[in-house]
């Protein structure tokens, strides 16, 4: 039945060709996320054994990788890399927002800064959970995405500062009171624990594991998403771009197969590592 | 206690010269005869004559020696047979050559086997009584933990009665390097250990620093079993007269480790023990009695903190909260501060003592041993801070409270939020799919 086959082929090609892809993240932003999650996994994997040093798996893991010396080395290595990434990001924001006076960095619908719509969206979203209202029309960055961003931002400042204070304690002791050296460990470990628990449970589910994105949202790896996904997940941004006639400018190429496959493997590994660490953390935390 | 150990050592050394005396008796008698001839046979040419006579007498002396041997030879004519057994099936064979070279080689058989006077002798003979000559040792043994003669005959430690060697002879079962194996014959036996409610000591000792020095280096001064326990009158560690009684342990170890014992006696633990407080630790409480490790060894550094913590529980729990402990618990890194790195090990002094390394005046130096650049502000760090105690560490308490509330609050909100979201979007997904033609409905 050549006709049918051709027809099927043709329709598939047509359907395929129709699907448009839109740019969401730049290459630099995707790399930033890659560096962020790699170093974060490294920091979590090496930080947790220190936090729960009494637990069996922590000791096994530590001796497996060469003891505490190896653990602290990788912890510090990841910390330095993440600090550099953080500083590059801050410099980038500063250049775009302050030096180049780019609009929409610190306010507006494309900004990471929370606004009144986010509050309305939060309550609207929860009403929708309970079937009490329609699903809100999210913009470029939804309220939980902004929360993730600022949680990481604040976390890096707090965890980073307290970490460096421990690393270079005699130096920090020149201008910090003695009790602050006690406090930094409490802050570092509690905030680190919060970050780990939050990322490996809330961020994972909100962004990657929820039914709409399961098993992971590929947009952070490929930088682009299909028109259907765009419309569904961020209807407000889509219609705004459409109304302003800027939609075409965002059209991008379909991601290469190798990129999709490669990042899917990397993403799956990252999520699995995170879930294992989450399980270990919870088991150690509740046994404490 | 120290004296007791020395006495024990010298008393067990005593038999050696006594038995040597017996061996030399015949020779001295012959020498006496030489002098008799020298005086009676004139002095002028006496020297040459005496020389000849001395040679002749030496032959006589040998003959006299072989006379002693002859008595053994009589017995050995039967007992040299390697297959000779008594009615009970035990070997009664004697290696004559080996016996002759042993400590008792000059004794006639009848000197120990006193009831055997003639041949043929009865089938059943009374056991040899070593205490006839070795009364001190027998008395010591009778008062010891090994007093049960049936279980602990002299031969159980000294080996075959016909091949006993002086204790400084490497062939002796009680030669310092052989003692652990000799004692280990029983104290390295799991079944026996269980029966008597004792630990299986031998493997612990032999892997210890003392056991290593002895077995690997052949170090004669390395502590072996009897260095601490004595030899014949070994007493239970519960007996106040025992060198291993808790209060006596510092002096017992001090027999060799004199400097450490003197440091220890100057510290709080030593003073407490001297004052009769037996809750305070002695050497063996921290170093263990048998499985003693080199203190710089990582294994010892890893195991020692809980030992201090077994008494200082509050200090251990606050130490556990610190980075020192967290680092130290992870294998492979043993450099982080353990209790004694700051407090000292043997001469532990209260922080109020100006000589104490944890006296405020000494902290910069003490902390500075690890933390280069430690200054007055740095040493304000509290290595035993308790973030759960509002009165002692208010700042830390409230910081921890804030962090915990932040953690609990954030997670509680988002867990509820995300679970509701999951349920709702899964519900929508199923509804949508069923509307799309029942797939996955």
């Amino acid at each position: 039945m050549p006709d049918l086959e051709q027809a099927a082929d043709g329709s598939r090609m047509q359907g395929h060709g129709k699907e448009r892809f839109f740019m969401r993240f730049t290459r630099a932003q995707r790399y930033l996320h890659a560096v962020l999650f790699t170093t974060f996994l490294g920091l979590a994997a090496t930080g947790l054994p220190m936090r729960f040093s009494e637990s069996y798996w922590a000791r096994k893991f530590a001796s497996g990788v060469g003891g505490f010396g190896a653990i602290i080395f990788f912890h510090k290595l990841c910390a330095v890399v993440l600090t550099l990434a953080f500083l590059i990001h801050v410099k980038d924001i500063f250049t775009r927002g302050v030096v180049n006076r780019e609009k929409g960095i610190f306010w507006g619908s494309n900004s990471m800064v929370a606004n009144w719509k986010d509050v309305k969206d939060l309550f609207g979203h929860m009403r929708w959970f309970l079937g009490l209202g329609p699903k809100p029309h999210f913009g470029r960055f939804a309220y939980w995405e902004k929360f993730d961003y600022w949680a990481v931002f604040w976390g890096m400042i707090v965890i980073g500062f307290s970490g460096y204070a421990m690393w270079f304690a005699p130096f920090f002791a020149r201008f910090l009171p003695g009790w602050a050296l006690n406090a930094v460990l409490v802050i570092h470990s509690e905030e680190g624990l919060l970050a780990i628990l939050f990322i490996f449970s809330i961020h994972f589910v909100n962004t990657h594991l929820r039914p709409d994105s399961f098993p992971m949202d590929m947009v952070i790896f490929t930088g682009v998403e299909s028109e259907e996904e765009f419309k569904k997940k961020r209807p407000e941004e889509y219609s705004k771009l459409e109304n302003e006639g800027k939609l075409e400018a965002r059209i991008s190429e379909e991601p290469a197969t190798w990129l999709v496959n490669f990042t899917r493997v990397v993403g799956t590994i990252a999520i699995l590592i995170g879930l294992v660490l989450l399980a270990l953390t919870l088991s150690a935390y509740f046994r404490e | 206690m120290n004296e007791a150990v020395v006495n024990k050592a010298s008393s067990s050394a005593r038999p050696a010269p006594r038995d040597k005396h017996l061996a030399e008796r015949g020779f001295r008698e012959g020498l006496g005869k030489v002098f008799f001839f020298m005086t009676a046979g004139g002095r002028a040419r006496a020297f040459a004559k005496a020389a000849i006579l001395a040679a002749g007498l030496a032959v006589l002396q040998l003959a006299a020696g072989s006379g002693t041997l002859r008595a053994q030879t009589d017995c050995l004519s039967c007992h040299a047979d390697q297959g000779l057994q008594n009615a009970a099936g035990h070997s009664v064979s004697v290696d004559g050559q080996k016996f002759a070279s042993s400590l008792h080689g000059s004794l006639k058989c009848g000197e120990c086997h006193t009831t055997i006077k003639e041949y043929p002798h009865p089938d059943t003979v009374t056991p040899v009584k070593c205490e006839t000559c070795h009364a001190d040792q027998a008395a010591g043994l009778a008062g010891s933990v090994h007093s049960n003669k049936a279980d602990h005959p002299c031969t159980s430690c000294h080996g075959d009665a016909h091949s006993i060697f002086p204790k400084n002879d490497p062939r002796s079962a009680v030669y310092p390097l052989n003692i652990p194996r000799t004692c280990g014959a029983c104290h390295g036996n799991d079944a026996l250990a269980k029966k008597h409610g004792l630990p299986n000591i031998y493997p612990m000792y032999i892997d210890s620093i003392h056991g290593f020095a002895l077995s690997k280096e052949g170090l004669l001064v390395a502590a072996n079993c009897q260095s601490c326990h004595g030899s014949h009158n070994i007493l239970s560690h519960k007996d106040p007269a025992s060198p291993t009684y808790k209060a006596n342990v510092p002096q017992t170890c001090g027999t060799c480790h004199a400097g450490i014992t003197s440091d220890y006696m100057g510290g709080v633990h030593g003073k407490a023990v001297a004052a009769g407080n037996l809750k305070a630790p002695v050497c063996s409480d921290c170093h263990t009695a048998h499985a003693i490790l080199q203190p710089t060894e990582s294994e010892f550094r890893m195991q020692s903190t809980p030992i201090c913590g077994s008494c200082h529980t509050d200090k251990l729990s606050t130490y556990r909260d610190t980075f020192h402990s967290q680092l130290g618990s992870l294998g492979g890194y043993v450099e982080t501060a353990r209790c004694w790195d700051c407090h000292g090990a043997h001469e532990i002094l209260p922080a109020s003592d100006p000589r104490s390394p944890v006296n405020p005046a000494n902290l910069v130096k003490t902390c500075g041993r690890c933390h280069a650049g430690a200054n007055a502000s740095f040493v304000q760090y509290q290595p035993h801070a308790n973030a759960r105690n509002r009165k002692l560490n208010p700042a830390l308490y409230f910081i921890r409270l804030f962090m915990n509330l932040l953690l609990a609050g954030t997670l509680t909100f988002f867990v509820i939020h995300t679970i509701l979201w999951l349920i709702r979007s899964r519900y929508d997904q199923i509804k949508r799919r069923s509307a799309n033609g029942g797939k996955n409905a």
Side-chain angles (χ1 to χ4, degrees):
Chain A
M1 285 178 276
D3 285 355
L4 241 167
E5 237 179 75
Q6 271 171 2
D9 229 354
S11 68
R12 190 162 66 225
M13 284 304 290
Q14 217 177 17
H16 208 68
K18 247 194 221 165
E19 195 172 30
R20 294 192 298 179
F21 284 85
F22 291 88
M23 174 84 96
R24 173 153 165 81
F25 294 117
T26 65
R27 183 182 291 263
Q29 287 165 336
R30 282 149 49 201
Y31 284 165
L32 187 72
H33 177 260
V35 171
L36 179 66
F37 82 75
T38 318
T39 53
F40 185 80
L41 285 173
L43 286 162
T46 51
L48 285 171
M50 290 190 260
R51 174 68 172 79
F52 299 108
S53 57
E54 297 291 301
S55 69
Y56 176 78
W57 57 263
R59 292 179 177 197
K60 279 283 157 203
F61 177 76
S63 57
V65 298
F68 170 77
I71 288 213
I72 196 75
F73 172 79
F74 283 110
H75 198 75
K76 286 173 177 174
L77 180 71
C78 290
V80 168
V81 174
L82 184 54
T83 307
L84 288 176
F86 176 73
L87 292 177
I88 289 170
H89 175 69
V90 171
K91 187 216 148 251
D92 183 45
I93 295 296
F94 183 82
T95 313
R96 284 173 62 187
V98 178
V99 179
N100 297 345
R101 300 194 167 253
E102 193 179 315
K103 278 182 183 164
I105 293 286
F106 299 114
W107 59 89
S109 57
N110 283 351
S111 169
M112 270 295 173
V113 180
N115 54 39
W116 184 240
K117 182 181 183 296
D118 293 315
V119 181
K120 283 193 291 185
D121 280 357
L122 169 63
F123 286 103
H125 206 199
M126 287 196 290
R127 270 197 298 277
W128 174 72
F129 295 162
L130 302 171
L132 302 174
K135 192 176 180 177
H137 284 211
F138 296 111
R140 179 160 172 74
F141 297 112
Y143 68 89
W144 71 86
E145 289 164 338
K146 291 184 182 180
F147 186 90
D148 278 4
Y149 176 84
W150 288 111
V152 173
F153 202 96
W154 141 271
M156 282 204 275
I157 292 171
V158 172
I159 303 178
F161 180 80
S162 55
Y164 285 113
M166 283 191 283
W167 188 352
F168 305 104
F171 171 75
F172 278 80
R174 290 185 196 171
F175 41 84
L176 287 180
W179 61 264
L181 296 179
N182 286 101
V184 287
L185 175 63
V186 173
I187 293 170
H188 192 82
S189 79
E190 295 285 309
E191 182 69 25
L193 195 61
L194 172 58
I196 285 165
L197 291 173
F198 187 87
I199 296 294
F200 295 158
S201 60
I202 309 299
H203 171 72
F204 272 14
V205 174
N206 280 0
T207 308
H208 299 294
L209 298 174
R210 71 183 156 102
D212 289 338
S213 307
F214 191 88
M216 69 195 79
D217 194 338
M218 294 299 288
V219 70
I220 194 65
F221 299 114
T222 59
V224 297
E225 60 189 342
S226 68
E227 186 162 16
E228 187 197 0
E229 214 175 346
F230 189 14
K231 253 193 234 172
K232 185 163 172 259
K233 284 184 175 169
R234 283 166 273 279
E236 197 217 38
E237 187 191 8
Y238 185 85
S239 54
K240 192 163 172 268
L241 287 174
E242 207 171 28
N243 293 340
E244 290 170 0
K246 290 178 183 168
L247 200 55
E248 303 296 318
R250 290 275 293 275
I251 288 178
S252 182
E253 274 178 29
E254 186 180 354
T257 313
W258 73 265
L259 182 65
V260 174
N261 290 340
F262 173 69
T263 52
R264 201 176 272 283
V265 170
V266 170
T268 307
I269 291 170
I271 286 177
L272 288 178
I273 293 174
L275 292 178
V276 168
L277 290 174
L278 177 69
L280 292 175
T281 307
L282 291 174
S283 79
Y285 190 77
F286 287 108
R287 205 169 293 165
E288 227 178 25
Chain B
M1 198 37 51
N2 184 352
E3 274 175 320
V5 173
V6 173
N7 282 344
K8 195 111 309 304
S10 61
S11 67
S12 55
R14 217 172 290 149
R18 193 189 289 169
D19 295 339
K20 209 179 265 170
H21 171 78
L22 275 168
E24 286 172 358
R25 193 166 37 183
F27 180 71
R28 281 190 205 161
E29 277 165 8
L31 215 63
K33 285 172 191 160
V34 175
F35 281 111
F36 172 76
F37 266 93
M38 278 174 77
T39 47
R43 291 176 185 94
R45 281 159 295 170
F47 189 77
K49 278 185 183 172
I52 297 162
L53 278 165
L57 276 161
V59 176
L60 272 176
Q61 159 64 22
L62 270 177
S66 63
T68 316
L69 272 177
R70 209 179 299 135
Q72 289 178 5
T73 322
D74 287 342
C75 303
L76 284 172
S77 59
C78 295
H79 286 277
D81 177 2
Q82 287 186 356
L84 194 66
Q85 291 183 335
N86 66 8
H90 295 302
S91 169
V92 289
S93 148
V94 174
D95 182 337
Q97 266 184 319
K98 203 171 181 189
F99 178 65
S101 70
S102 83
L103 190 55
H104 294 138
S106 64
L107 297 180
K108 292 172 189 164
C109 303
E111 286 184 75
C112 292
H113 300 282
T114 50
T115 53
I116 300 173
K117 301 236 159 56
E118 53 192 12
Y119 183 81
H121 60 77
D123 278 354
T124 328
V125 296
T126 51
V128 170
K129 289 192 168 116
C130 302
E131 61 265 38
T132 314
C133 296
H134 304 285
D136 284 0
Q137 288 76 12
L141 195 69
S144 80
V145 289
H146 295 139
S147 62
N148 184 335
K149 263 186 142 179
D151 279 355
H152 312 102
C154 304
T155 51
S156 61
C157 294
H158 291 279
D160 174 21
H162 297 105
S163 50
I164 291 174
F165 297 98
K167 67 169 199 165
N168 56 2
D169 185 321
R171 289 173 295 175
S172 167
V174 293
Y175 181 65
L177 302 189
N178 297 335
I179 284 180
R181 216 180 319 144
T182 301
C183 301
C186 295
H187 293 283
N189 180 323
D190 268 331
L192 264 172
K194 206 173 265 177
K195 187 178 151 199
H196 293 284
L198 294 168
N200 186 353
I201 295 303
Y202 183 76
M204 294 189 203
Y205 169 80
I206 212 69
D207 286 338
S208 77
I209 185 165
H210 289 144
F212 249 63
L214 183 135
S215 66
K216 300 276 175 199
E217 320 264 333
L219 198 62
L220 292 173
V221 293
N224 59 51
C225 316
Q226 70 107 35
S227 318
C228 303
H229 293 278
S231 50
H232 293 102
N233 64 341
I234 295 174
L235 299 172
S236 161
H237 66 90
K238 289 170 195 151
D239 188 325
S242 166
T244 57
Y245 180 65
K246 189 162 181 179
N248 300 332
V249 166
Q251 298 314 323
T252 302
C253 300
T255 313
C256 298
H257 302 277
I260 299 289
T261 297
S262 128
D263 282 353
Y264 167 82
M265 294 312 289
V268 284
H269 291 145
K271 281 179 183 156
V273 169
N277 177 2
L278 291 188
K279 277 186 182 166
V282 296
C283 320
S284 51
D285 287 304
C286 300
H287 294 279
T288 77
H290 296 105
I292 300 174
L293 295 170
Q294 166 72 32
T296 52
E297 217 175 286
S298 56
E299 202 183 336
F300 181 77
R301 286 185 67 82
M302 296 303 284
Q303 77 183 23
S304 57
T305 307
I307 297 175
C308 303
S310 64
C311 292
H312 302 281
T313 45
D314 56 329
K315 295 295 172 197
L316 179 65
S317 88
T318 51
Y319 172 76
R320 285 267 181 263
D321 288 342
T322 67
F323 201 46
H324 286 143
S325 165
Q326 293 177 350
L327 271 79
S329 301
L330 299 174
Y333 197 82
V334 294
E335 284 86 350
T336 50
R338 311 298 152 117
C339 316
W340 73 92
D341 289 319
C342 305
H343 294 276
H346 299 112
E347 195 178 14
I348 299 174
L349 298 167
S352 54
D353 190 310
R355 289 181 302 142
S356 166
V358 292
N359 181 278
N362 301 329
L363 281 177
V364 169
K365 191 180 155 211
T366 304
C367 301
R369 284 211 306 259
C370 297
H371 300 278
N375 53 32
S377 170
F378 178 80
V379 302
Q380 294 304 305
Y381 172 76
Q382 295 184 23
H384 289 284
N386 187 350
R388 292 171 186 82
N389 191 321
R390 189 174 156 182
K391 275 181 191 151
L392 279 177
N393 303 95
L396 213 52
Y397 174 86
F398 285 110
I399 287 170
R400 181 173 177 271
L401 185 69
F402 171 76
M403 296 308 297
N404 275 340
L405 288 176
L406 185 71
L407 190 148
T410 310
L411 287 178
T412 307
F413 173 77
F414 272 103
V415 164
I416 295 170
H417 167 274
T418 298
I419 287 176
L420 289 175
W421 188 2
L422 264 181
I423 295 170
R424 177 65 212 238
S425 45
R426 181 70 185 142
Y427 168 78
D428 267 21
Q429 196 181 41
I430 291 170
K431 210 172 62 176
R432 200 166 54 241
R433 280 184 186 166
S434 64
N436 282 353
K439 192 184 130 209
N440 206 12

